[in-house]
Amino acid sequence: MTNSTVVYPVVLKPDGDYIFVRVPNLEGGYTQGNNEIDAVKMAQDLIGNLLEDKSEYPKPSDSQDIKLTDDEKLVFVSVDLESFRKKYSRTVRRNITVPEYLSDMANEKGLNVSQVATNALKIELGI
């Protein structure tokens, strides 16, 4: 696992023809799936979407602290947020200002200033 991978306990519960999904550590952490496999995939998508624009993540609960009813099942779901962001994030246009000499040097070297700025932001944000 990379340092961008998060693992959260997820509660699965049968709900008619579906499996209800609850991620106790995330506000708004609810979804559903058609079966257990689909429910886990939906949980991965939910976790990715809820944390996509975050740089700090809620601490996962200890499994012993999660109370289950007889029909609930606890599973652990992992999401590589870096991969999720690469797959689903859209790019936005930002206008930045840099000293002219740096712009000239970047042009001479054929650097993609947007990519350099993106890399710098990732380092600064720790992602």
Side-chain angles (χ1 to χ4, degrees), residues 2-126:
T2 67
N3 62 356
S4 69
T5 301
V6 294
V7 179
Y8 282 101
V10 172
V11 178
L12 305 179
K13 178 179 179 150
D15 185 24
D17 292 336
Y18 302 99
I19 303 294
F20 180 72
V21 177
R22 177 171 55 95
V23 184
N25 300 109
L26 302 179
E27 186 176 330
Y30 303 99
T31 189
Q32 69 182 28
N34 294 321
N35 53 49
E36 285 189 9
I37 299 296
D38 187 49
V40 168
K41 289 178 183 177
M42 295 299 289
Q44 288 174 316
D45 188 59
L46 174 71
I47 293 167
N49 279 303
L50 290 175
L51 299 180
E52 175 182 22
D53 61 348
K54 308 283 188 246
S55 59
E56 294 185 20
Y57 316 120
K59 185 177 188 253
S61 295
D62 193 287
S63 60
Q64 294 92 312
D65 296 334
I66 298 174
K67 305 297 182 227
L68 301 174
T69 62
D70 289 341
D71 58 346
E72 292 179 326
K73 179 187 291 189
L74 184 67
V75 298
F76 289 88
V77 174
S78 68
V79 178
D80 181 338
L81 291 169
E82 184 175 341
S83 295
F84 185 89
R85 288 178 182 118
K86 285 179 182 175
K87 185 174 181 180
Y88 295 107
S89 290
R90 63 183 181 89
T91 57
V92 295
R93 186 167 183 79
R94 296 288 304 249
N95 196 11
I96 65 170
T97 304
V98 296
E100 184 176 21
Y101 77 92
L102 287 177
S103 179
D104 292 343
M105 291 174 74
N107 288 339
E108 287 174 15
K109 292 219 178 232
L111 292 176
N112 180 328
V113 175
S114 292
Q115 187 60 53
V116 171
T118 298
N119 292 339
L121 283 169
K122 286 181 178 180
I123 291 168
E124 184 70 23
L125 297 170

